[in-house]
Amino acid sequence: MTCEHLNNLTAENLISKAVYPVFRCEECMKINSRWVHLRICQTCGKMLCCDSSEHQHARRHYEATSHAVVSSAELGEQWLWCFADEQGKDY
């Protein structure tokens, strides 16, 4: 199965982690919580925590907004994940 969400994103049009001066989960900061890893919503640019984090803010953001694709905000990682199609892609 091919994921249209992922195929529409390329290294040239994705929201890069390089544009963020500070790496933090926007929602965890509001509730004074911790996160494990960070993800960047490729629709709106929100930086949120991963599924391994207690509050899973990136997944909850997808469920609330249908913003399907996130990228890893972790240094050294260059991959995308589509929540809708449960598929990943390196870039």
Side-chain angles (χ1 to χ4, degrees):
M1 182 169 118
T2 302
C3 175
E4 183 179 321
H5 303 106
L6 293 175
N7 288 338
N8 289 334
L9 285 170
T10 65
E12 291 78 34
N13 68 4
L14 66 84
I15 300 169
S16 170
K17 62 187 124 205
V19 302
Y20 295 87
V22 178
F23 283 48
R24 63 182 178 210
C25 175
E26 297 177 26
E27 297 301 318
C28 283
M29 293 298 292
K30 292 178 185 176
I31 60 172
N32 198 29
S33 187
R34 294 181 178 209
W35 55 87
V36 178
H37 299 288
L38 295 168
R39 308 295 179 238
I40 299 168
C41 174
Q42 288 299 304
T43 301
C44 69
K46 286 189 101 170
M47 186 176 286
L48 301 161
C49 62
C50 69
D51 282 357
S52 296
S53 299
E54 179 182 358
H55 298 287
Q56 301 178 341
H57 285 122
R59 179 172 296 279
R60 297 199 192 300
H61 178 71
Y62 158 66
E63 292 168 350
T65 64
S66 296
H67 293 176
V69 179
V70 294
S71 64
S72 173
E74 301 301 312
L75 298 177
E77 295 183 356
Q78 292 185 290
W79 54 261
L80 303 164
W81 177 258
C82 177
F83 286 112
D85 295 322
E86 295 188 3
Q87 291 185 29
K89 173 183 169 180
D90 291 333
Y91 65 90

